[in-house]
Amino acid sequence: MGGIREAVYVLVASLTFYELGLSLGLDSEGSVYLSALLALTLYCSSGLRFFVFSKTLSGDLHKVINVRLGSVAILQRVKLKAVFKPRIYVNLAGFVAPLTLALLILALQTHCLSVAPFKYLSILIFLTITYNKLSTIVSGRGIFISVTSSMTLTVVTALALGTHLKLAPETLFSITYSLSTLAVLIGMDLVNLRLSALFKTRSIVIGGYGIGDAIFLLPAISSLTSKIIYSFIATPLTP
């Protein structure tokens, strides 16, 4: 089962890099070679991480204490302060690569984003809040998110943006990828970073699951799905 899951991750990564290659102006053959090379490289380096800094984190922990006095039980809610200083790492495949691609897209799509910078920023804030609300911290495992719910909201938002601005499918793919990547990074990892102090985590790896991490996987699936659906919507029907 694990092998099938990893094969799906590599396939999604390959398709994502292929579409990005086309968006960057490469031909189909060049995009195929580029996507295969990048996907395999990131898959093989999924365990590679880099130390960034060590930061003191704190958070409030609410706990209910059951106090018994004979046959009477008293429930008392107390507020504790948890402080810890974990080491912060970033994963090459799960953080460095998707963030680099998102920033590269922003640099290359300035002609499009300059038309509606407020809309881009508004959608970024909306997705950031959405991802944060849908994310859950699991002790000892990391931060998890409902891929189905978050992807559905992302695709619907992207389709609305593409239809409103009359974007090309390739442009919509790129913008959706950059929006979702930045929103996942901010809404899931950075905003929830201080809460890891509650679990006394010795180290935090942002993007620790490599190409299977939400920072890579969620934007990739969302942008691919958005382009496929939008291509059908944007294509005029011939009589």
Side-chain angles (χ1 to χ4, degrees):
M1 192 67 180
I4 297 177
R5 183 171 59 249
E6 292 179 352
V8 171
Y9 292 162
V10 174
L11 177 61
V12 171
S14 299
L15 292 174
T16 302
F17 290 132
Y18 176 78
E19 293 294 341
L20 287 173
L22 294 179
S23 301
L24 294 175
L26 297 178
D27 57 20
S28 181
E29 183 178 0
S31 297
V32 169
Y33 287 119
L34 176 65
S35 63
L37 177 63
L38 290 178
L40 290 176
T41 300
L42 290 185
Y43 173 74
C44 294
S45 61
S46 289
L48 188 59
R49 64 184 187 178
F50 306 98
F51 172 73
V52 181
F53 59 90
S54 183
K55 180 178 178 57
T56 300
L57 303 173
S58 63
D60 294 329
L61 176 63
H62 296 276
K63 187 176 181 179
V64 177
I65 299 178
N66 187 352
V67 180
R68 287 190 172 275
L69 299 175
S71 60
V72 180
I74 301 176
L75 297 179
Q76 184 178 8
R77 187 182 181 90
V78 297
K79 183 178 180 181
L80 305 175
K81 192 77 171 180
V83 181
F84 200 62
K85 190 175 183 179
R87 294 170 61 85
I88 312 297
Y89 296 85
V90 293
N91 184 277
L92 174 63
F95 172 83
V96 178
L99 179 60
T100 301
L101 290 175
L103 296 178
L104 177 62
I105 288 171
L106 283 179
L108 295 177
Q109 295 291 347
T110 51
H111 64 286
C112 177
L113 299 180
S114 61
V115 178
F118 178 74
K119 292 184 177 66
Y120 184 93
L121 182 60
S122 299
I123 294 176
L124 177 59
I125 295 175
F126 168 73
L127 290 179
T128 299
I129 295 174
T130 299
Y131 292 160
N132 178 259
K133 296 300 182 182
L134 292 175
S135 61
T136 303
I137 300 179
V138 180
S139 179
R141 299 189 62 189
I143 305 173
F144 291 83
I145 189 172
S146 172
V147 176
T148 303
S149 300
S150 53
M151 187 187 74
T152 300
L153 287 171
T154 305
V155 171
V156 171
T157 303
L159 293 176
L161 178 66
T163 304
H164 177 66
L165 297 180
K166 295 180 173 57
L167 301 175
E170 295 76 14
T171 303
L172 180 66
F173 171 86
S174 300
I175 292 179
T176 302
Y177 185 86
S178 66
L179 278 169
S180 187
T181 298
L182 296 176
V184 172
L185 174 62
I186 299 172
M188 279 186 60
D189 289 81
L190 298 185
V191 174
N192 289 323
L193 192 62
R194 67 179 183 83
L195 298 180
S196 62
L198 301 178
F199 301 105
K200 297 295 184 180
T201 306
R202 291 182 177 273
S203 63
I204 299 174
V205 183
I206 302 178
Y209 284 88
I211 57 176
D213 196 274
I215 300 178
F216 188 98
L217 203 59
L218 180 55
I221 297 177
S222 298
S223 54
L224 288 169
T225 305
S226 298
K227 181 184 177 182
I228 293 173
I229 297 177
Y230 184 72
S231 297
F232 286 104
I233 296 176
T235 302
L237 296 176
T238 56

